[in-house]
Amino acid sequence: MNTTGSAANGGLHLTPFRGLRYVPERVGSLAAVTSPPYDVVVRPDGVHHLESADPHNIVRLILPQAAQTATTEARHRQAADTLHSWLSDGVLAADTEPALYVYEQRKGDLLQRGLIGALELTTPAEGIVLPHEDVIPHVVEDRASLMRTTAANLDPLLLTYRGNGTATGATAVIERTVLRAPLLATTTEDGISHRLWSVTDPAALAEVAEDLGRHQALIADGHHRWATYLRLREEHSAPGPWNYGLVLLIDTARYPLQVRAIHRLLNRLPVADALAALGDTFRVRTIDAPLPAALDALATAASDGNAFLLTGGGTGPFHLIDRPAPELLVRAIPADRPEAWRTLDATVLHAALIDRVWRVPDTPEDITYIHDAGAAVAQAERRGGTAVLMHPVREEVVRDLARQGVTMPRKSTSFGPKPATGLVLRSLDVD
């Protein structure tokens, strides 16, 4: 790994690495071996769907399945053995020289381009990579165990930075590179086309380094994996590959991301009980309409303040709740935080509703986080729980809070499109 320069100099330090990539002749198709990020594949049926797409689908590494009695260590050892087997059998192979990788996603009017590389790790106190959400400790422990056992970064985090909006520096390198034939091109079942190129020219790499060295980045997706990177770096005190982590960097001044909400499923709280517990703490209105119209009503209500959409327990109507009682917010929301944090929907949901009104424990058994609104509704109906649908936060609010060092409640936002997992991996044994 080329380690010229340093994040300690005040900016981002993205370094080339020898990517592990699928050998096309050894798999059915590149689309069939990819997967969404691990935390988007939330249901066992999703895992099984991906596993059946191709025996070498990347989900066998990022979410290894084993007997229900198997320990976490056994599942992660299974992933490590699978990775070793695929390397030995030539299913995966390392590129011959270190590179940064230009990555493009396209669907209709959507076009996203960025750089995949090994980023030097920094703490939040250094102000170079800014988290904006809290993390769940047991998820960090699980991801740390998997990375530790496989000695690999299996999927890139999504980080954003703000350039000047013109084709200069790193963006200029990206836009020159995409004029060449790509290393790979595929279209996944969601209709998004993916292309990947390598950048190995020393002058181009120097151009990228000079540009990124002037920027800080916001973690758009991957807070748990970033926390995992930092934990594993602490375990390896000597300088080396554990001081870096696999990321995709997007200049959102040039390629704006979409920001979506992450919804909550309260598995053990029937919607009738949730509504009854509200009393006069929120205004409640019935929305007897299909999901798209209900989400439109939520968007309208959210423009005036905190608002949520509740449903579950069958095919009944949606319930729009808004206008929280001021006395509830005074009791529930810490007064020593910035107003932008105190008025976040996620803050009000967790501090006022989940903790005080509904008294739902903050455990995986009680709260499930789901990115897709339709999936949240379907799961609530299946389990007899309550789906809490949320409206997305604006990106500028997220960035402003992160710059103040204020983290949002976990799973507050979903930036996208997310990079497909499986197009390029990073082995810490190869790096």
Side-chain angles (χ1 to χ4, degrees):
M1 175 185 293
N2 175 13
T3 57
T4 303
S6 172
N9 295 332
L12 300 166
H13 178 215
L14 191 69
T15 67
F17 69 103
R18 292 179 58 200
L20 299 184
R21 296 190 292 112
Y22 280 98
V23 177
E25 295 78 13
R26 298 301 310 275
V27 298
S29 73
L30 289 175
V33 295
T34 64
S35 163
Y38 78 96
D39 58 341
V40 178
V41 188
V42 294
R43 303 183 306 277
D45 56 333
V47 174
H48 298 152
H49 170 72
L50 292 166
E51 287 183 333
S52 63
D54 189 283
H56 302 107
N57 188 283
I58 193 69
V59 78
R60 296 180 184 274
L61 301 185
I62 62 172
L63 288 172
Q65 303 298 296
Q68 291 186 351
T69 57
T71 64
T72 297
E73 291 75 17
R75 289 189 293 104
H76 294 163
R77 174 47 54 193
Q78 174 182 298
D81 292 342
T82 300
L83 175 59
H84 178 75
S85 172
W86 289 356
L87 288 167
S88 298
D89 295 344
V91 175
L92 288 169
D95 286 335
T96 55
E97 58 181 322
L100 296 180
Y101 295 87
V102 171
Y103 176 47
E104 177 190 274
Q105 293 164 279
R106 184 190 292 266
K107 182 180 181 181
D109 294 334
L110 177 125
L111 174 62
Q112 180 172 289
R113 290 172 176 157
L115 283 169
I116 296 177
L119 185 70
E120 185 173 0
L121 305 179
T122 60
T123 65
E126 294 172 81
I128 296 172
V129 176
L130 305 174
H132 71 268
E133 289 184 357
D134 294 330
V135 297
I136 305 171
H138 78 84
V139 177
V140 175
E141 182 53 48
D142 179 78
R143 291 295 98 183
S145 173
L146 179 63
M147 283 190 206
R148 190 184 296 116
T149 307
T150 58
N153 298 157
L154 301 171
D155 44 356
L157 283 63
L158 178 60
L159 272 61
T160 72
Y161 69 100
R162 298 289 292 180
N164 59 16
T166 64
T168 57
T171 301
V173 171
I174 289 171
E175 297 188 5
R176 291 198 306 267
T177 301
V178 299
L179 301 177
R180 298 193 274 109
L183 291 174
L184 63 86
T186 191
T187 300
T188 45
E189 64 180 4
D190 56 7
I192 297 179
S193 66
H194 308 260
R195 296 197 295 171
L196 193 76
W197 297 259
S198 64
V199 178
T200 58
D201 174 64
L205 294 174
E207 191 174 354
V208 169
E210 181 180 3
D211 182 20
L212 295 183
R214 297 191 292 266
H215 292 288
Q216 61 182 185
L218 175 73
I219 302 176
D221 185 69
H223 284 82
H224 290 89
R225 284 166 287 167
W226 182 260
T228 297
Y229 288 166
L230 295 179
R231 174 179 294 192
L232 295 176
R233 181 183 68 169
E234 292 176 0
E235 297 176 6
H236 299 80
S237 56
W242 294 97
N243 288 68
Y244 299 79
L246 186 64
V247 305
L248 166 63
L249 268 173
I250 303 286
D251 176 2
T252 54
R254 190 73 171 178
Y255 299 105
L257 294 181
Q258 300 170 342
V259 186
R260 295 189 173 94
I262 301 177
H263 311 290
R264 274 65 169 160
L265 175 58
L266 309 181
N267 296 297
R268 300 176 181 177
L269 180 67
V271 70
D273 293 349
L275 292 168
L278 289 175
D280 59 359
T281 59
F282 277 76
R283 181 177 70 166
V284 181
R285 289 177 286 164
T286 298
I287 308 293
D288 197 0
L291 177 60
L295 290 172
D296 287 342
L298 173 62
T300 299
S303 66
D304 293 326
N306 303 116
F308 311 95
L309 204 60
L310 310 185
T311 191
T315 57
F318 295 94
H319 307 277
L320 179 63
I321 66 171
D322 64 354
R323 299 186 182 177
E327 57 270 23
L328 170 65
L329 301 184
V330 169
R331 291 197 311 269
I333 309 299
D336 60 348
R337 296 292 193 95
E339 182 180 2
W341 181 91
R342 289 187 281 113
T343 56
L344 287 170
D345 284 343
T347 299
V348 172
L349 173 62
H350 283 268
L353 279 168
I354 289 178
D355 292 350
R356 284 185 174 258
V357 174
W358 293 330
R359 299 187 182 279
V360 173
D362 188 7
T363 67
E365 294 77 22
D366 286 280
I367 305 176
T368 302
Y369 298 88
I370 301 179
H371 291 73
D372 181 75
V377 172
Q379 293 248 32
E381 294 175 353
R382 185 180 305 127
R383 300 181 188 181
T386 296
V388 183
L389 306 184
M390 304 181 67
H391 189 66
V393 183
R394 291 178 291 113
E395 180 183 356
E396 53 265 34
V397 172
V398 177
R399 194 175 296 276
D400 287 346
L401 284 171
R403 284 174 174 156
Q404 296 177 56
V406 178
T407 54
M408 300 166 64
R410 56 181 174 262
K411 301 295 183 182
S412 293
T413 59
S414 175
F415 286 84
K418 303 179 190 302
T421 300
L423 296 180
V424 60
L425 291 61
R426 174 176 175 252
S427 167
L428 282 81
D429 290 332
V430 171
D431 229 7

